[in-house]
């Protein structure tokens, strides 16, 4: 019974164990005097500081600011990425026209545009949203494009044999068939959007987790800084897990080979 | 007048990455009467699918003409329905959803879609499985869905491209018998491509034997075995004679194919 449960949840259990192990090791390494707590703090101190920051409202303010920018950037990237991806996947001319921008984005680090956005939009929220938008856009666009473009030819032909028009093939065959790969793009996009927000906040913001990390970092207050770092990690894990869950809901017909 | 009239049919494909064309089917003439079950046999690559897809209106003709009930085929139409070899079912739709798909594409207005679909699903023996997803079905069951989808639109002509080609021998035999049972109901005109000799004889009123380079019709063989048929005909003397004749044809084709390969 227990053995069976273990095998079914093996990945989850092993992953949890290794995380717990890391935290314990972290605590021991500092308590045992192997590492100076100044560099890395300790789990117990971080927890205590978390409670303090939680009670004085810093956590809510920073998480709120970060999530606000995240939601806007992810929302815009989802709409733009899916629309552009659908157009480019269906019309090869659109794909060819957009190709240089994609190469541009792959070869140049997105943060390099930061000063440009500051010049256009000023320091703060709009610039953060713009940077995170660019971070998240590529995987959403690329996955939507490949989903539509790689529409199963046999299915399209079967549809045509029943008199389907191009319009039908797009909406009834290509689009539903692309949902799983689009969801995978959104999952990648979520991680990228969060990274984009935090990175942009590191450079210039007056609220947010990235802002808190730089602020306490510059004051050399490691424990206070670690609180925000840990929250960023947890947020990333939670958001990505939510998307993974939705993804598995949409592509059961692809992964489940039936029994 | 025959229901399907094919005259001087030629179909060329463009070779990939060049302007050269290559003739997949040439000089094909065939007429099929209403209610006739015609099977098409021949070694692989001799243009069986190409011929069938041309009748379906899914490939463009290079020469000649195809007429159905006197009208030129210029594209797919509600008078024809195709059963493909590959389980070309939408993996995200249930059995019922897939059977409804053809009706939806044709903007069918003959009544309740669900009822029509369910009737066909029951006809092919999948009544209990109407809510299953394709990936939960066996290969034979998936092809039953494919047949139900084609029958649902109530076509004049049923076109089948090796629908049982991917099934094991036993399932294939069962499916053949089932198909005849369903066909006996209203005897729709049928074109059925296969490379299985027994299947070709068992189903047919008329067998079209094709040869290659380019794809052409070598012979048309009448089959006068009594209907309705069951597995017993497989042991009859007429069946044996037909089988021998077809074997000889295909063996000829195989040896000429080997020669070509040796030369090349
Ligand atoms: N879409 C296509 N483009 C180019 N050549 C094709 C295409 N489809 C089939 N062919 C070629 O045409 C010939 C006949 O193919 P096909 O009709 O599929 O034969 P069969 O169904 O008898 O195996 C083969 O040589 C095949 O390679
Ligand atoms: Mg074929």
């Amino acid at each position: 019974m227990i053995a069976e449960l273990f095998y079914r949840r093996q990945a989850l259990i092993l992953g949890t164990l290794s995380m717990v192990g890391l935290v314990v090791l972290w605590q021991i390494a500092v308590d045992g005097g192997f590492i100076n707590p100044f560099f890395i703090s300790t789990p117990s101190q971080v927890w205590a500081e978390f409670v303090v920051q939680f009670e004085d409202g810093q956590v809510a303010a920073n998480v709120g600011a970060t999530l606000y920018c995240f939601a806007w950037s992810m929302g815009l990237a989802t709409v733009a990425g899916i629309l552009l991806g659908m157009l480019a996947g269906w019309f090869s001319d659109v794909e060819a026209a957009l190709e240089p921008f994609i190469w541009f984005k792959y070869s140049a680090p997105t943060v390099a545009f930061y000063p440009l956005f500051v010049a256009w939009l000023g320091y703060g929220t709009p610039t953060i949203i713009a940077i995170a938008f660019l971070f998240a856009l590529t995987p959403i666009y690329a996955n939507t494009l490949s989903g539509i473009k790689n529409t199963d030819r046999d299915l399209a032909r079967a549809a045509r044999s029943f008199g389907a028009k191009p319009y039908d093939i797009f909406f009834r065959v290509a689009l539903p068939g692309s949902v799983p790969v689009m969801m995978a793009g959104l999952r990648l996009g979520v991680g990228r959007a969060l990274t984009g927000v935090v990175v942009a906040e590191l450079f210039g913001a007056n609220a947010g987790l990235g802002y808190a990390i730089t602020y306490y970092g510059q004051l050399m207050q490691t424990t206070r800084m670690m609180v925000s770092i840990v929250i960023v990690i947890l947020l990333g894990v939670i958001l990505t897990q939510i998307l993974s869950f939705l993804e598995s809901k949409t592509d059961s017909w692809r992964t489940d080979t039936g029994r | 007048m025959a229901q399907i009239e094919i005259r001087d049919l030629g179909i060329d494909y463009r070779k990939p990455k060049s302007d050269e064309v290559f003739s997949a089917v040439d000089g094909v003439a065939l007429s099929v009467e209403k209610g006739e079950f015609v099977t098409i046999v021949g070694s692989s690559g001799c243009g069986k699918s190409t011929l069938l897809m041309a009748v379906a209106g899914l490939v463009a003709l290079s020469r000649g003409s195809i007429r159905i009930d006197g009208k030129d085929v210029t594209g797919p139409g509600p008078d024809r329905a195709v059963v493909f070899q590959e389980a070309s079912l939408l993996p995200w739709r249930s059995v019922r959803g897939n059977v409804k798909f053809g009706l939806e594409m044709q903007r069918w207005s003959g009544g309740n879609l669900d009822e029509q679909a369910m009737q066909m699903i029951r006809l092919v023996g999948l009544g209990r499985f109407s809510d299953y997803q394709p990936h939960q079905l066996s290969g034979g069951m998936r092809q039953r869905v494919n047949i139900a989808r084609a029958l649902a639109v109530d076509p004049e002509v049923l076109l089948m491209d090796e629908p049982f080609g991917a099934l094991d021998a036993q399932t294939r035999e069962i499916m053949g018998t089932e198909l005849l049972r369903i066909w006996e109901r209203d005897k729709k005109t049928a074109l059925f491509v296969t490379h299985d000799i027994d299947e070709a004889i068992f189903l047919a009123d008329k067998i079209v034997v094709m040869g290659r380079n380019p794809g052409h019709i070598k012979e048309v063989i009448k089959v006068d075995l009594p209907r309705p048929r069951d597995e017993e005909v497989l042991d009859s003397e007429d069946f044996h004679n037909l089988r021998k004749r077809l074997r000889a044809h295909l063996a000829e084709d195989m040896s000429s194919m080997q020669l070509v390969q040796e030369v090349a």
Side-chain angles (χ1 to χ4, degrees):
Chain A
M1 228 333 251
I2 289 172
E4 192 186 310
L5 202 69
F6 180 79
Y7 282 120
R8 246 191 311 150
R9 301 246 169 250
Q10 196 168 19
L12 186 67
I13 292 174
L14 290 178
T16 312
L17 281 179
S18 77
M19 284 312 295
V20 172
L22 182 70
V23 171
V24 170
L25 209 67
W26 173 13
Q27 185 79 40
I28 292 174
V30 179
D31 286 351
F34 302 108
I35 302 178
N36 184 339
F38 172 76
F39 293 122
I40 186 167
S41 185
T42 67
S44 54
Q45 282 179 321
V46 171
W47 174 251
E49 176 61 23
F50 171 80
V51 173
V52 172
Q53 289 191 17
F54 188 82
E55 279 170 355
D56 72 9
Q58 269 188 67
V59 169
N62 289 331
V63 169
T66 295
L67 281 184
Y68 177 82
C69 293
F70 166 82
W72 268 104
S73 57
M74 186 62 199
L76 292 173
T78 302
V79 172
I82 288 180
L83 279 180
L84 291 174
M86 289 193 310
L87 284 171
W90 196 245
F91 302 107
S92 55
D93 286 348
V94 175
E95 186 194 3
L98 291 178
E99 187 86 356
F101 294 96
I102 297 305
W103 279 111
F104 202 44
K105 261 226 67 200
Y106 274 128
S107 32
T110 308
V111 271
F113 295 100
Y114 182 75
L116 206 55
F117 282 112
V118 171
W120 294 342
L121 306 167
Y123 278 104
T125 309
T127 295
I128 295 168
I129 291 173
I131 288 284
F133 166 80
L134 282 186
F135 264 70
L137 184 64
T138 344
I140 300 173
Y141 167 80
N143 277 39
T144 307
L145 174 132
S146 90
I148 299 285
K149 196 175 162 185
N150 297 321
T151 295
D152 190 324
R153 288 163 155 272
D154 288 335
L155 291 184
R157 189 176 62 165
R160 272 195 295 134
S161 80
F162 288 105
K165 303 282 171 280
Y167 165 92
D168 294 314
I169 294 181
F170 183 81
F171 286 103
R172 304 301 199 87
V173 180
L175 202 53
S178 304
V179 167
V181 79
M182 281 161 60
M183 287 304 296
L186 290 180
R187 171 171 51 78
L188 296 172
V190 158
R192 300 265 223 113
L194 187 64
T195 310
V197 170
V198 173
V199 166
E201 283 174 347
L202 291 176
F203 287 121
N206 40 34
L209 292 163
Y211 160 77
I213 292 168
T214 355
Y215 179 80
Y216 290 121
Q218 277 163 357
L219 295 176
M220 307 276 184
Q221 295 176 348
T222 314
T223 304
R224 289 187 174 154
M225 181 180 80
M226 285 304 290
V227 169
S228 294
I229 292 180
V230 171
I231 294 175
V232 167
I233 294 172
L234 289 178
L235 263 187
V237 170
I238 292 167
L239 289 171
T240 308
Q241 284 302 312
I242 292 174
L243 265 290
S244 295
F245 173 74
L246 293 177
E247 195 183 338
S248 72
K249 284 272 151 200
T250 58
D251 76 346
S252 58
W253 47 270
R254 267 231 301 220
T255 50
D256 184 349
T257 47
R259 259 149 286 163
Chain B
M1 192 184 55
Q3 181 162 40
I4 306 177
E5 282 284 0
I6 302 175
R7 294 217 184 106
D8 297 327
L9 177 67
I11 290 161
D12 300 337
Y13 287 123
R14 186 169 307 229
K15 286 189 178 166
K17 291 178 202 134
S18 79
D19 285 338
E20 269 181 86
V21 292
F22 132 88
S23 196
V25 161
D26 202 33
V28 166
L30 179 70
S31 46
V32 178
E33 298 299 325
K34 192 171 175 66
E36 226 178 353
F37 201 123
V38 176
T39 59
I40 303 171
V41 282
S43 55
S44 112
C46 71
K48 304 183 295 293
S49 297
T50 302
L51 173 59
L52 200 78
M53 291 306 127
V55 179
L58 290 169
V59 298
L61 315 188
S62 308
R63 291 172 294 285
S65 68
I66 301 177
R67 292 216 171 110
I68 293 178
D69 291 321
K71 276 184 303 200
D72 270 308
V73 167
T74 53
D79 53 346
R80 286 150 289 150
V82 188
V83 179
F84 297 92
Q85 169 175 3
E86 289 310 315
S88 50
L89 302 174
L90 302 172
W92 54 88
R93 284 191 177 213
S94 67
V95 167
R96 191 199 329 232
N98 269 288
V99 174
K100 275 160 70 177
F101 183 68
L103 295 164
E104 290 170 13
M105 292 299 102
Q106 290 195 357
R107 312 315 196 253
W108 194 72
S109 55
N112 186 305
L113 282 191
D114 265 299
E115 262 170 39
Q116 172 74 357
M118 278 313 296
Q119 206 179 325
M120 294 303 137
I121 292 167
R122 279 192 290 269
L123 180 65
V124 299
L126 291 180
R128 287 192 301 120
F129 301 95
S130 61
D131 290 325
Y132 279 50
Q133 300 292 123
H135 67 80
Q136 296 171 303
L137 306 176
S138 69
M141 289 158 92
R142 280 202 286 266
Q143 285 311 73
R144 285 171 192 261
V145 181
N146 256 327
I147 292 170
R149 180 175 67 182
L151 290 174
V153 299
D154 197 22
E156 297 291 321
V157 177
L158 201 53
L159 304 167
M160 293 169 273
D161 190 7
E162 304 200 32
F164 310 145
L167 306 179
D168 61 86
Q170 210 177 346
T171 312
R172 182 178 201 141
E173 212 175 293
I174 296 170
M175 293 296 289
T177 317
E178 277 282 288
L179 180 62
L180 276 194
R181 173 185 67 80
I182 293 166
W183 178 78
E184 290 282 349
R185 278 189 338 145
D186 48 8
K187 300 218 161 111
K188 284 186 192 303
T189 312
L191 288 188
F192 185 105
V193 171
T194 177
H195 57 246
D196 185 298
I197 293 178
D198 281 6
E199 193 171 72
I201 306 167
F202 181 68
L203 297 171
D205 292 315
K206 187 157 99 183
I207 305 171
V208 173
V209 185
M210 287 185 71
R212 43 170 57 232
N213 294 324
H216 63 281
I217 294 181
K218 285 169 78 174
E219 197 183 353
V220 177
I221 303 173
K222 283 290 269 179
V223 178
D224 286 322
L225 300 168
R227 290 190 190 271
R229 296 174 191 165
D230 52 29
E231 291 86 353
E232 272 172 36
V233 273
L234 297 169
D235 302 320
S236 70
E237 200 183 320
D238 286 347
F239 198 96
H240 280 288
N241 292 337
L242 282 167
R243 184 193 275 150
K244 216 181 278 174
R245 201 160 145 199
L246 278 177
R247 278 235 181 96
H249 258 308
L250 295 183
E252 205 176 278
D253 225 42
M254 289 309 287
S255 59
S256 69
M257 201 165 115
Q258 270 156 10
L259 268 181
V260 170
Q261 276 166 353
E262 276 160 31
V263 172

